[in-house]
Amino acid sequence: MRRQGRSGHARRAGRPVDERGSAVVDFVMVGGLLTMFFLAIIQLALVLHVRNTLIDAAASGARYGTLADRGATDAAERAADLIGTALNADFAQDITTSEVTFQGLRTLEVTIRAPMPVIGLIGPREMLEVKGHAAIQP
């Protein structure tokens, strides 16, 4: 049953029949939401990749620094090389080493402070801190 509305458009049971363009609007709104969701997942994956790479570089640097003919400066250089190769040299700006007791063992600790990637690889400095340990040979 069709009735003429006040504006002259045909109406069906209280709803306007003329909804041209509503599919385009729905597509744009849902597409925009899905795009933002997808980009957030990609950014989370990038943050986890950077964090895992820094953890691996700190642990590898600590192990390298505890070899018989190596020292703490060698550990920092090794960690910086690994970070520069895998990510970017900007992530290797703040690397410190120290001798600490960790779980009852004398260890070499390599600490890396790097930017937290918020938009791509850009983010606030020294927000991400990771540590790597290796036992010092007696």
Side-chain angles (χ1 to χ4, degrees):
M1 164 184 328
R2 288 187 160 191
R3 295 185 234 159
Q4 287 288 2
R6 290 183 187 182
S7 61
H9 295 296
R11 297 175 64 91
R12 180 178 293 165
R15 298 178 110 188
V17 175
D18 189 16
E19 293 184 3
R20 288 180 287 175
S22 65
V24 174
V25 173
D26 288 345
F27 176 77
V28 169
M29 289 185 347
V30 171
L33 183 66
L34 287 176
T35 301
M36 293 305 289
F37 185 67
F38 179 73
L39 290 175
I41 290 173
I42 295 295
Q43 186 62 39
L44 177 63
L46 180 63
V47 168
L48 291 175
H49 168 69
V50 167
R51 180 181 162 272
N52 290 341
T53 302
L54 293 174
I55 289 171
D56 181 59
S60 294
R63 284 191 299 271
Y64 187 76
T66 58
L67 294 175
D69 59 341
R70 303 290 178 203
T73 56
D74 296 320
E77 289 174 8
R78 174 72 172 174
D81 280 345
L82 291 172
I83 294 169
T85 302
L87 297 171
N88 189 345
D90 291 340
F91 287 88
Q93 295 296 319
D94 190 5
I95 300 175
T96 58
T97 58
S98 61
E99 224 177 271
V100 297
T101 302
F102 183 73
Q103 296 180 352
L105 295 171
R106 211 175 102 219
T107 62
L108 177 66
E109 179 181 78
V110 176
T111 304
I112 302 171
R113 288 179 195 83
M116 172 76 79
V118 177
I119 299 173
L121 289 175
I122 302 169
R125 292 219 160 276
E126 296 180 9
M127 196 154 173
L128 190 59
E129 180 178 321
V130 297
K131 295 181 180 186
H133 298 92
I136 296 176
Q137 303 298 324

